[in-house]
Amino acid sequence: MGSPAFGSAIPSSLEVAELSPRLARQFGLAKAGGVIVVRVDPLGPAYRKNVEPGDRLLALNRREVRSAREAHSLLRRVRSGEVVSLLFETPDGRSQIANLRLP
């Protein structure tokens, strides 16, 4: 299965994928499962809020995200100019929140 790109439907310039064992190894993570950020556009709002490839996406707008498909579905509901809140975990285990205003 390919990795759904948020940027294709939502102008957030963020791409995520299912966190497979292969991706977990690639990003140096201890375990698979959930959703991982695989690409961040350096001109987009996620980059300006320090979201980076290798971050694990935990929730969008306070709703737990368990799959890339679910994340994409939640983001399709956000309109241009609205703010979306991302709860994510960095590879070193720190949880962070990024509030992104979508262009």
Side-chain angles (χ1 to χ4, degrees):
M1 173 185 285
S3 55
F6 290 171
S8 65
I10 303 295
S12 65
S13 305
L14 183 67
E15 185 176 324
V16 299
E18 304 296 325
L19 184 51
S20 66
R22 181 184 60 79
L23 280 176
R25 282 190 305 276
Q26 179 181 332
F27 285 102
L29 301 172
K31 62 179 183 174
V35 179
I36 189 167
V37 175
V38 294
R39 187 184 70 78
V40 179
D41 184 333
L43 301 176
Y47 181 84
R48 291 189 296 271
K49 296 291 187 167
N50 299 316
V51 178
E52 299 179 353
D55 291 341
R56 187 187 307 253
L57 184 60
L58 303 175
L60 289 166
N61 288 341
R62 297 183 181 175
R63 294 189 63 177
E64 182 182 4
V65 174
R66 292 175 290 260
S67 70
R69 182 180 306 265
E70 184 177 25
H72 193 257
S73 175
L74 289 169
L75 277 178
R76 278 198 320 257
R77 300 177 192 162
V78 181
R79 302 208 187 286
S80 179
E82 292 182 344
V83 174
V84 62
S85 178
L86 276 65
L87 173 61
F88 63 98
E89 181 181 80
T90 61
D92 63 2
R94 291 179 297 132
S95 293
Q96 296 185 3
I97 296 174
N99 294 310
L100 312 176
R101 182 171 303 279
L102 300 184

